[in-house]
Amino acid sequence: MKLSKWIGTTIVGMSLLSTQGFAQNTITVKPTIQRYLGENTSKLDRDKYMQAHIWIGEKEDKEFEAFKSTYNINPAYKGSRRFWNPLATVKQGKKPKVKNKYKGVRDVTPFSVSTGRATNFFYDRSVDYSEADVAAYSKEMAAYIAERYQKDWPEMPAIYEPFNEPFVHAKDLYPGKGNKAKSNKAIIKISEALRDIGQAVHAIPELENMKVAGYASAWPAFEVNNFEIWDTRYRTFIDIAGKDMDMLSVHLYDGKGLNNAGGRRSGSNAEAILDMIEVYSYISLGEVKPIAITEYGRLVDDQPGWTPKNGKSNYHPIENSQAVRSQMHLAMGFMERGDNLVCAIPFSTGKQPSTKKYAKAGLWTVDKDGKAELTSRKYFFEVLKDVKGNRVHIGSDNVDIQTQAFVDGKQLYVILNNLNEETQTLNLAVEELKGLKKVETKRIKTYVNKLPQLVKDSSKEAPSTIDIEYGETIILTYNFSKNLPTKKKEYSTKYYASEYLKPIKANEANTFDFQNVTADAKGSAVLRLGVGRAHGKSLQPVVTVNGNKVTLPEDVIRGYNQHNRKEFFGLLEIPVPAEYLKSGDNKVSITFPDSNGKISSAILKVIGYSKKSS
């Protein structure tokens, strides 16, 4: 998105303007410069992304095995996430006896996440848990869960996420109608239970392979009520339970429903959410906790006239396919967080009759005779089907074009994804093309009113330009006669400010200090600034770095301007000349011309050719 201000109804028309007239739209690829996220992450960990919200387990399933084979998914993959854990066996507080079946350190099932419901923990609907003293009960139940996992639970998850989306169900922890004050107290009780579970699991050496995640945030609308939702939910959770979690989990969706009031999270909104979690983790816990995206994608609509028990189909192929666009938009951002991301599970569900609610989100559709067929959601897996290798340098001067590039032997893979609502013409500046044999092009086009298309082509010549439609993903495979060498290495390091959530006042500077920076005048840098503001307020602040004024591009917002959200909450991505930085401490000043909102986070991303100073 390129427009920083809009007024009234002009926003809609203005938001649809292409950035083509303002950006060069050049994609620069340097395949002999190996790229690292942090100091150690270069290789694409396919297992983090090639997942779905399904569970097959030990069942024999020919279609599932064929699916894994077709899309080069790890043969050991049994599924990602399911609602099954020891707490689910506790009925009305009555706990099954623990049996001594296993000894020693428990092995875990790779890639698997087990979750459950807070209402199984806080089970008595007649009790007002927002007021009741449940401290002793909470620790007792947490110890029981950990003991079950240690001694008699047959299949151990790699990640135990005790409660699924618990805070949006906080009103279920007390009788009567929903009450904001009571719900906020219930959130504290849930956070304390998560803390107790984390402590109980970590106290047992035999469970060292099973990691604990929380809190599976359903509705990370942190900006609502001047960031009250942040304060009463995710911040409260981190303050109480953060240090006892191995990772922090969240759900991110485009579309409209429980997880999102409408509009798109993909792009600047998702980036601001994740940056805020990282920054506060750094400030509060002294470390940036890993992140697990245990659900993401798009909330697709139920079919007209469908109800849970009326026998009508809730699957429509075009509605189902809308999630492919959102999944790819979000996954491209997640791949750029590969050094701090544990997993990213797109919400595409398993086989079920078309009359079931989540048939609408199925990776398979099942007909009346029980025959299963992959839906259009297979195209998400088509993107990474053949992609592997180490990251290499790639850059885009259009913030709406998301990019990734990898080299594996004789192949260079370039992935392009368009968040802009208009078709973009891109200039492809790929270096080191000596020995090129051919270029294979694979396009995945997603549409609003028709099924997606997979289009393949090949050429002996490297294209110099390429058009990319809104929501389209293009995979270019450059095939060379010899292995591509590594001539240089570049490292991307994030530096976190020690302050966050600073009010914006007209013409008053907010300053952020970044310490122990390793500067490289031959590299590059980006200031990642999370901002929550009312529509119509400026998104083009005056920025200085160590006293040097930074010239902002016209477009610093990834994706659209959020015109159909109640307010703007997103990330401003501001390129900073590398020569403005110095090794050691750096001071950044941010000044907006108008009052309103807050700066939610500030991260300085520095790319250079040497590792961070210890």
Side-chain angles (χ1 to χ4, degrees), residues 51-299:
Q51 302 197 39
H53 202 277
I54 59 176
W55 183 256
I56 304 298
E58 300 299 331
K59 293 182 294 185
E60 289 189 13
D61 190 313
K62 292 181 180 179
E63 288 96 350
F64 179 61
E65 294 302 320
F67 163 69
K68 290 194 293 182
S69 177
T70 298
Y71 295 103
N72 298 320
I73 295 170
N74 193 315
Y77 181 63
K78 298 179 181 180
S80 294
R81 191 167 183 257
R82 60 175 173 166
F83 285 74
W84 183 239
N85 63 72
L87 185 59
T89 68
V90 178
K91 305 299 181 184
Q92 294 298 306
K94 295 181 179 179
K95 303 187 290 289
K97 185 178 179 180
V98 180
K99 300 176 181 179
N100 290 302
K101 292 183 178 180
Y102 305 102
K103 292 183 179 180
V105 176
R106 300 298 309 276
D107 292 329
V108 299
T109 303
F111 328 115
S112 62
V113 180
S114 288
T115 190
R117 294 177 174 84
T119 48
N120 286 346
F121 197 97
F122 302 96
Y123 63 89
D124 192 338
R125 296 302 299 272
S126 68
V127 173
D128 185 347
Y129 288 106
S130 72
E131 301 293 346
D133 182 357
V134 293
Y137 162 77
S138 180
K139 292 183 183 299
E140 176 189 336
M141 187 63 79
Y144 172 77
I145 293 168
E147 188 181 16
R148 288 291 305 276
Y149 272 128
Q150 176 194 1
K151 295 180 178 179
D152 78 359
W153 200 252
E155 195 160 39
M156 298 289 292
I159 299 171
Y160 176 40
E161 187 181 45
F163 306 144
N164 177 63
E165 303 185 342
F167 292 177
V168 294
H169 300 291
K171 64 181 182 297
D172 295 334
L173 269 65
Y174 53 86
K177 296 181 179 180
N179 177 287
K180 186 176 181 179
K182 282 188 174 294
S183 288
N184 287 341
K185 289 181 180 179
I187 284 169
I188 292 173
K189 297 295 177 65
I190 295 169
S191 298
E192 290 170 344
L194 289 167
R195 174 200 63 200
D196 294 342
I197 292 170
Q199 290 178 353
V201 169
H202 294 142
I204 298 176
E206 290 85 351
L207 299 180
E208 64 181 19
N209 293 328
M210 184 179 76
K211 306 305 179 185
V212 183
Y215 69 93
S217 170
W219 192 56
F222 297 155
E223 75 281 7
V224 170
N225 295 334
N226 199 25
F227 288 90
E228 179 188 21
I229 292 297
W230 162 260
D231 281 329
T232 58
R233 297 191 181 191
Y234 223 110
R235 183 190 63 78
T236 294
F237 161 70
I238 290 177
D239 287 347
I240 293 171
K243 69 183 180 67
D244 297 301
M245 297 292 106
D246 294 300
M247 62 197 71
L248 306 174
S249 61
V250 64
H251 298 168
L252 296 171
Y253 284 96
D254 290 345
K256 187 175 182 179
L258 173 67
N259 301 76
N260 189 22
R264 304 173 213 148
R265 293 211 184 282
S266 52
S268 66
N269 183 250
E271 293 298 316
I273 289 167
L274 296 176
D275 272 17
M276 193 172 189
I277 293 172
E278 285 190 1
V279 163
Y280 190 67
S281 169
Y282 171 81
I283 292 171
S284 177
L285 306 175
E287 62 175 319
V288 180
K289 289 272 185 177
I291 288 177
I293 312 292
T294 51
E295 287 184 24
Y296 76 94
R298 183 177 183 85
L299 303 166

Side-chain angles (χ1 to χ4, degrees), residues 316-334:
H316 190 285
I318 294 176
E319 183 66 22
N320 170 279
S321 73
Q322 298 306 298
V324 177
R325 179 172 56 253
S326 295
Q327 288 174 358
M328 276 315 307
H329 283 333
L330 288 160
M332 289 292 286
F334 300 156

Side-chain angles (χ1 to χ4, degrees), residues 330-351:
L330 288 160
M332 289 292 286
F334 300 156
M335 280 190 275
E336 196 58 26
R337 296 175 180 269
D339 57 331
N340 195 49
L341 187 84
V342 179
C343 64
I345 304 172
F347 191 77
S348 291
T349 58
K351 300 174 191 174

Side-chain angles (χ1 to χ4, degrees), residues 2-3 5-7 9-18 561:
K2 67 178 182 303
L3 298 171
K5 291 187 178 181
W6 55 91
I7 300 175
T9 58
T10 60
I11 175 178
V12 176
M14 294 173 72
S15 70
L16 296 176
L17 291 174
S18 168
N561 57 22

Side-chain angles (χ1 to χ4, degrees), residues 34-45 48-49 278 331-341 390-394 403-406 489-494 528 605-608 611-612:
Q34 186 175 353
R35 187 167 74 97
Y36 285 81
L37 305 177
E39 296 189 355
N40 302 307
T41 302
S42 180
K43 185 178 180 180
L44 173 64
D45 188 344
K48 289 184 178 182
Y49 310 101
E278 285 190 1
M332 289 292 286
F334 300 156
M335 280 190 275
E336 196 58 26
R337 296 175 180 269
D339 57 331
N340 195 49
L341 187 84
N390 292 323
R391 290 172 171 84
V392 294
H393 176 94
I394 187 167
T403 62
Q404 294 288 328
F406 305 89
K489 296 180 180 180
E490 69 176 26
Y491 301 90
S492 174
T493 305
K494 290 180 180 178
R528 297 172 60 89
K605 181 179 178 180
V606 179
I607 299 169
K611 291 187 176 183
K612 179 181 177 181

Side-chain angles (χ1 to χ4, degrees), residues 319-612:
E319 183 66 22
N320 170 279
S321 73
Q322 298 306 298
V324 177
R325 179 172 56 253
S326 295
Q327 288 174 358
M328 276 315 307
H329 283 333
L330 288 160
M332 289 292 286
F334 300 156
M335 280 190 275
E336 196 58 26
R337 296 175 180 269
D339 57 331
N340 195 49
L341 187 84
V342 179
C343 64
I345 304 172
F347 191 77
S348 291
T349 58
K351 300 174 191 174
Q352 55 195 300
S354 64
T355 55
K356 297 293 185 180
K357 180 174 179 62
Y358 287 108
K360 64 181 180 179
L363 179 56
W364 287 271
T365 182
V366 181
D367 65 19
K368 293 180 180 179
D369 298 322
K371 183 180 178 182
E373 181 182 0
L374 285 168
T375 68
S376 292
R377 297 200 180 195
K378 65 186 178 184
Y379 291 123
F380 171 83
F381 300 92
E382 185 70 41
V383 174
L384 290 180
K385 176 181 177 180
D386 301 310
V387 178
K388 56 184 176 179
N390 292 323
R391 290 172 171 84
V392 294
H393 176 94
I394 187 167
S396 170
D397 59 16
N398 183 340
V399 72
D400 294 334
I401 303 299
Q402 300 187 106
T403 62
Q404 294 288 328
F406 305 89
V407 162
D408 181 65
K410 299 177 183 179
Q411 276 76 42
L412 162 66
Y413 303 98
V414 174
I415 309 175
L416 308 171
N417 176 264
N418 184 16
L419 284 164
N420 193 286
E421 293 174 338
E422 293 290 315
T423 297
Q424 303 289 288
T425 298
L426 307 178
N427 302 308
L428 299 177
V430 182
E431 299 182 0
E432 309 281 356
L433 286 176
K434 183 179 179 181
L436 179 68
K437 295 172 65 178
K438 68 174 180 177
V439 178
E440 298 168 283
T441 303
K442 181 163 58 176
R443 295 173 174 268
I444 296 165
K445 300 171 180 280
T446 55
Y447 304 100
V448 173
N449 54 7
K450 61 180 180 179
L451 290 173
Q453 285 184 316
L454 171 62
V455 181
K456 296 181 179 181
D457 194 9
S458 66
S459 172
K460 291 183 179 180
E461 302 293 329
S464 58
T465 63
I466 195 166
D467 289 344
I468 184 168
E469 299 174 11
Y470 167 62
E472 183 177 7
T473 301
I474 299 176
I475 306 94
L476 296 158
T477 303
Y478 295 75
N479 295 276
F480 293 85
S481 57
K482 295 182 180 180
N483 287 348
L484 288 161
T486 297
K487 297 180 180 180
K488 190 183 288 188
K489 296 180 180 180
E490 69 176 26
Y491 301 90
S492 174
T493 305
K494 290 180 180 178
Y495 298 91
Y496 298 84
S498 57
E499 296 181 279
Y500 88 125
L501 210 56
K502 302 182 79 169
I504 297 172
K505 297 181 180 179
N507 301 314
E508 290 188 14
N510 275 306
T511 59
F512 296 91
D513 294 320
F514 298 92
Q515 299 178 336
N516 301 316
V517 172
T518 298
D520 188 336
K522 295 181 180 179
S524 59
V526 176
L527 177 64
R528 297 172 60 89
L529 204 66
V531 173
R533 309 206 76 190
H535 288 309
K537 297 296 183 179
S538 173
L539 297 174
Q540 288 268 324
V542 174
V543 178
T544 64
V545 176
N546 297 321
N548 301 291
K549 186 176 179 180
V550 176
T551 301
L552 271 66
E554 192 164 357
D555 187 359
V556 293
I557 299 169
R558 190 184 307 194
Y560 83 134
N561 57 22
Q562 303 181 25
H563 60 82
N564 55 351
R565 304 187 73 85
K566 289 185 178 180
E567 57 192 299
F568 178 87
F569 176 44
L571 192 74
L572 312 184
E573 300 183 55
I574 301 169
V576 175
E579 60 268 24
Y580 288 2
L581 301 179
K582 59 183 180 180
S583 291
D585 296 346
N586 290 256
K587 187 178 292 293
V588 173
S589 172
I590 310 294
T591 306
F592 284 89
D594 45 12
S595 297
N596 174 264
K598 292 181 178 180
I599 298 173
S600 57
S601 61
I603 298 174
L604 185 62
K605 181 179 178 180
V606 179
I607 299 169
Y609 298 101
S610 59
K611 291 187 176 183
K612 179 181 177 181

